[in-house]
Amino acid sequence: MAIVLGPNRYGKAETRLVRVIRDGDTRSLADYNVSVALSGDLAATHLTGDNSGVLPTDTMKNTVYAFAKKHGVGEPEEFALLLARHFVTTQEQVETARVSIESFGWERLGPHSFQRKGDYTRVASVVVTAEFEQVVSGITGLVLLNSTASEFRGFPRDEYTTLPETTDRILATAVDARWRHVSAGGDFAKSYAGAIEAMTAAFVNTYSASLQQTLFSMGSHVLEKRPEVAEIRLALPNKHHYLVDLSPFDLANDNEVFIAGDRPYGLIEGTVTRDDAPRPPRGGICDHHRERRGRHRRRQ
């Protein structure tokens, strides 16, 4: 039996970066969580402990801070590309650099004062090699709710099914979405805002027979409105709301009083793709979701 080294990578995870942009008496703020992962000709360190090709992860952290000063941060996709290109072009043993960024929002209260936005987080991830570049943008934790215009019925039943059918329910979710760009250039700020607007508009305007139908509507609307997006993957947890039984108190409950459930919850996932879009060189956008979910599990 032969034992071989499989795919591997290493890097610096979750480097916290806050960059203050000064414009006279006015300040702007960028708040990033940056993760770097490198792969390539790294077999020696695993097999023999030879570290001659292992750029220290501390160096990766320092590069994040130095680049923030030298180049500014711009949009998270732009900063991620800048870092990934640097590692691929300066380290001959590195074949692939993946840089992922969480961007935390702050709302301006004055020229130099801010309030942290806690509703959702912008994310970006890039993969750079000598042959290709891939940019994936996204969002996590965007909570949306329709108080009506949603139903769920006509599903199969067996001896364990207790869920009643409904033609009028609350539909709520916390959107986790990633969308792959056709190219590694463009106006990422405008693209991000447009994608969020398209997703939320589809959620609001779709009469939902299922959360799956809503997912496809949201993804389709993004592709229709944003030609720079090749595909989008959505993960939509069903944030259940259960009608409270008020009959013990001689009160009727006409879809007015609900219990907001926590867990367990349904999880609907799917990818919507242009049939004429160029396919990703490797990995697609599913890898980004697996990484995010894995990191989430480790934090619990």
Side-chain angles (χ1 to χ4, degrees):
M1 178 186 70
I3 299 175
V4 298
L5 176 67
N8 61 89
R9 61 187 180 191
Y10 82 107
K12 199 67 159 184
E14 303 196 28
T15 296
R16 293 291 287 113
L17 165 66
V18 175
R19 177 68 156 89
V20 177
I21 300 95
R22 300 173 179 268
D23 183 12
D25 293 331
T26 301
R27 304 289 187 268
S28 297
L29 200 64
D31 187 353
Y32 287 174
N33 196 21
V34 183
S35 294
V36 177
L38 307 180
S39 59
D41 185 10
L42 301 170
T45 186
H46 290 275
L47 302 179
T48 67
D50 178 1
N51 294 325
S52 59
V54 181
L55 183 73
T57 65
D58 189 67
T59 303
M60 301 178 199
K61 175 204 69 179
N62 293 341
T63 304
V64 170
Y65 294 131
F67 272 40
K69 172 58 179 176
K70 291 173 62 176
H71 306 289
V73 293
E75 298 300 314
E77 293 88 351
E78 295 168 347
F79 191 56
L81 282 168
L82 192 69
L83 289 166
R85 289 164 178 165
H86 166 78
F87 291 120
V88 169
T89 57
T90 61
Q91 301 295 315
E92 64 179 18
Q93 77 281 9
V94 173
E95 297 172 2
T96 303
R98 181 191 298 270
V99 178
S100 302
I101 296 179
E102 295 175 306
S103 175
F104 305 110
W106 290 84
E107 183 178 353
R108 181 179 297 281
L109 299 178
H112 57 266
S113 302
F114 303 86
Q115 176 179 320
R116 173 73 178 267
K117 293 181 180 179
D119 46 354
Y120 57 82
T121 301
R122 178 179 176 178
V123 295
S125 184
V126 307
V127 176
V128 172
T129 73
E131 290 78 30
F132 75 92
E133 296 181 341
Q134 177 178 291
V135 178
V136 173
S137 301
I139 191 170
T140 184
L142 174 62
V143 179
L144 302 174
L145 184 149
N146 281 332
S147 59
T148 188
S150 175
E151 62 181 52
F152 188 57
R153 57 193 176 93
F155 48 84
R157 309 188 72 89
D158 64 14
E159 64 270 31
Y160 304 113
T161 303
T162 60
L163 183 72
E165 294 189 348
T166 178
T167 58
D168 186 7
R169 66 170 180 170
I170 289 177
L171 182 68
T173 189
V175 179
D176 188 333
R178 303 290 186 275
W179 51 93
R180 178 171 60 89
H181 293 262
V182 173
S183 69
D187 187 337
F188 292 113
K190 182 178 180 181
S191 178
Y192 172 78
I196 301 304
E197 181 181 1
M199 276 191 292
T200 53
F203 182 87
V204 169
N205 295 313
T206 299
Y207 184 93
S208 179
S210 67
L211 189 50
Q212 287 89 337
Q213 180 192 18
T214 299
L215 180 150
F216 186 73
S217 177
M218 294 169 70
S220 298
H221 204 50
V222 170
L223 297 185
E224 290 166 0
K225 297 294 184 180
R226 307 307 312 175
E228 73 277 9
V229 176
E231 65 176 328
I232 178 169
R233 178 174 175 81
L234 296 114
L236 303 181
N238 195 341
K239 299 177 76 67
H240 300 297
H241 289 70
Y242 305 103
L243 199 65
V244 178
D245 181 10
L246 298 178
S247 60
F249 319 115
D250 294 325
L251 296 172
N253 190 0
D254 186 18
N255 279 354
E256 294 175 312
V257 181
F258 297 85
I259 298 171
D262 178 19
R263 59 191 63 181
Y265 54 85
L267 180 60
I268 313 303
E269 299 177 281
T271 302
V272 185
T273 308
R274 300 181 188 278
D275 60 3
D276 60 348
R279 298 193 61 80
R282 67 177 69 169
I285 57 179
C286 298
D287 291 340
H288 299 268
H289 272 259
R290 284 196 290 268
E291 287 178 359
R292 184 200 62 78
R293 288 200 297 271
R295 187 170 67 247
H296 179 70
R297 286 197 296 268
R298 288 194 294 273
R299 284 177 172 174
Q300 288 182 333

